[in-house]
Structures are given as C-alpha cells and as structure tokens.
Amino acid sequence: MPTISQFITGNERVYWGGFFIIFGSTFFSAFLYTAVISKLLPPSDNAIIFAIQNDRYYCFLVPLTLPVLVVAVYFYWLSMKMFKHA
C-alpha cells in the first residue's frame, strides 16, 4: 500500500514545511500576546484588545494543561510497554 510520502515531491515538502512553520509561529505569537504581553500593556481603547487584556482564561490554560499532558504521556508510555511485552 503506498504511503503519503510517495505522492509528495521534494518541492511540495518544502512548501508544506514552510507553511506549517509559519502557521505554528503565527499562532504561538498570538497566544504569547494574549497570555502574557497584553497583560503588561496599559489599558486600550479598542474593545477587542481591552477584552483580551481582561480575559483570564488563557493565563490558566497552559498551567492547567500541563498535568493533563503528563497523564497522557504516562498512559502512552504504559500502553507501549504493554504492547511490547504482550
């Protein structure tokens, strides 16, 4: 059965690689602004930026996601151990 990598040429890999790097960098920058930088700036007259500055959801999102990530990685490790030794 052919894999997806057999259908993608070298130029397409470079294109998609660049696309995903730009996409990830954009969303990381937006999250960083929302979670950290906007809290350090003075209050804004713009309604959207003011709402982002007063929002506390993203400040708690990452710290509360880390324990869930640890549990997910543990279950992944545990399932791989069971699969290898079964």
Side-chain angles (χ1 to χ4, degrees), residues 58-81:
Y58 290 106
C59 292
F60 298 118
L61 180 66
V62 171
L64 292 175
T65 303
L66 291 176
V68 175
L69 178 67
V70 169
V71 170
V73 168
Y74 171 73
F75 281 135
Y76 171 74
W77 173 82
L78 184 65
S79 66
M80 289 304 294
K81 283 291 185 183

Side-chain angles (χ1 to χ4, degrees), residues 22 26 55 73 76:
I22 291 171
T26 302
D55 187 32
V73 168
Y76 171 74

Side-chain angles (χ1 to χ4, degrees), residues 6-70:
Q6 293 173 344
F7 296 114
I8 299 175
T9 64
N11 290 337
E12 287 182 54
R13 286 179 196 238
V14 171
Y15 168 76
W16 283 108
F19 171 76
F20 285 127
I21 288 175
I22 291 171
F23 184 76
S25 299
T26 302
F27 275 96
F28 176 75
S29 300
F31 174 77
L32 186 66
Y33 175 79
T34 303
V36 178
I37 298 172
S38 68
K39 310 300 186 259
L40 302 174
L41 298 175
S44 176
D45 293 334
N46 187 337
I48 295 173
I49 295 176
F50 183 73
I52 290 172
Q53 287 176 333
N54 290 331
D55 187 32
R56 296 292 175 221
Y57 173 76
Y58 290 106
C59 292
F60 298 118
L61 180 66
V62 171
L64 292 175
T65 303
L66 291 176
V68 175
L69 178 67
V70 169

